[in-house]
Amino acid sequence: MTSQIKILGVGSSLRNGSSSTAFLQIALDLVKKEGVEVRMLDLRQNKLPLYDPNENRSSLEFQKVEENVKWADAFILATPDYHGSMSGAMKNFLDYFWSDFAGKTFAYICASHEKGLTVMDQMRTAVRQCYGWSIPYGISVNGQNDLENGKIKNHELKLRLEMLARDLVVYGKLIRQQFVTDMTNNVTNTFASHYGK
Ligand SMILES: Cc1cc2nc3c(=O)[nH]c(=O)nc-3n(C[C@H](O)[C@H](O)[C@H](O)COP(=O)(O)O)c2cc1C
């Protein structure tokens, strides 16, 4: 990796005018202010077929998403709350790319009427199973209450998003750098030697 990390935002609502994706864009703009390169991967625009382990993955859609995943050192995952869990599109994304997450840090945004705590816990569990690291808190948003004409109208939420942007850049960089250093130097019996590839 270069001296600065690169952050990919993954939006996973297929709904027109999604609030989770709108907040993800706001978060990415805040990350950019930290001097970091960001990209948005909106799964509504880049639809992946349902994951099938038998299928040949040569489609252009797959290759485009894969290029973004490999480019990233850290992620912000944004999802709507669907019955206390993440969207099918988000779970499908994690199923495809699990092997690219070791040594990368993840932050979470959930659009919910009920805080979405179980949603973010489930994303954290899936990411842990893929050897990714998670920011221990998440950001819960409610499009109706927190957004007006695409702008945040909740000051506390803006502060939390700024905190998330700063923390992801700082902790994401520390974790990624150590992982890459251990991999490069073939340091044995470490997280990187066990779970890197
Ligand atoms: C299939 C489905 C299941 C949902 N389940 C919940 C739920 O369990 N709890 C909740 O607070 N909202 C639930 N919602 C509402 C969405 O989480 C909410 O509208 C969210 O803001 C949508 O995010 P988006 O604007 O990014 O699409 C559900 C919506 C759908 C379509």
Side-chain angles (χ1 to χ4, degrees):
M1 65 178 281
T2 54
S3 63
Q4 204 45 283
I5 61 168
K6 295 172 289 200
I7 294 182
L8 182 68
V10 182
S12 69
S13 172
L14 305 189
R15 194 174 74 79
N16 251 334
S18 155
S19 57
S20 54
T21 304
F23 279 104
L24 173 62
Q25 188 58 63
I26 291 168
L28 289 176
D29 291 343
L30 292 169
V31 169
K32 224 198 268 180
K33 283 193 185 157
E34 302 282 325
V36 166
E37 221 183 313
V38 300
R39 287 188 191 172
M40 164 71 95
L41 171 65
D42 184 350
L43 294 173
R44 187 170 172 269
Q45 315 287 346
N46 299 273
K47 288 200 178 80
L48 289 164
L50 192 61
Y51 176 71
D52 176 347
N54 306 306
E55 221 166 67
N56 168 349
R57 302 192 201 166
S58 56
S59 72
L60 281 179
E61 292 87 351
F62 172 79
Q63 285 172 18
K64 187 172 169 207
V65 177
E66 184 186 42
E67 192 275 322
N68 279 293
V69 170
K70 289 190 180 302
W71 168 87
D73 297 304
F75 295 80
I76 304 177
L77 304 185
T79 183
D81 180 339
Y82 283 174
H83 308 306
S85 190
M86 69 194 92
S87 69
M90 178 58 77
K91 181 61 169 56
N92 197 41
F93 167 79
L94 297 176
D95 290 343
Y96 268 99
F97 296 105
W98 65 271
S99 66
D100 287 297
F101 296 158
K104 299 183 178 182
T105 302
F106 290 72
Y108 306 98
I109 295 175
C110 178
S112 175
H113 305 298
E114 303 168 301
K115 301 271 181 228
L117 296 180
T118 55
V119 181
M120 291 187 273
D121 273 349
Q122 288 179 30
M123 288 197 287
R124 245 178 234 118
T125 298
V127 163
R128 188 197 67 215
Q129 294 296 114
C130 310
Y131 307 113
W133 296 65
S134 286
I135 296 285
Y137 63 88
I139 306 280
S140 171
V141 299
N142 180 319
Q144 279 165 359
N145 298 343
D146 299 330
L147 211 57
E148 198 165 67
N149 302 323
K151 297 222 180 321
I152 304 184
K153 59 176 182 179
N154 176 339
H155 182 63
E156 291 300 314
L157 178 60
K158 173 133 188 294
L159 290 177
R160 267 181 86 70
L161 282 164
E162 284 170 354
M163 176 171 77
L164 184 85
R166 183 266 178 199
D167 285 346
L168 182 60
V169 169
V170 172
Y171 291 101
K173 184 173 169 182
L174 286 171
I175 286 166
R176 190 76 187 134
Q177 269 183 341
Q178 191 59 53
F179 185 81
V180 171
T181 302
D182 285 348
M183 288 287 284
T184 309
N185 298 333
N186 287 317
V187 186
T188 56
N189 205 23
T190 59
F191 170 76
S193 70
H194 278 277
Y195 301 117
K197 58 171 185 180

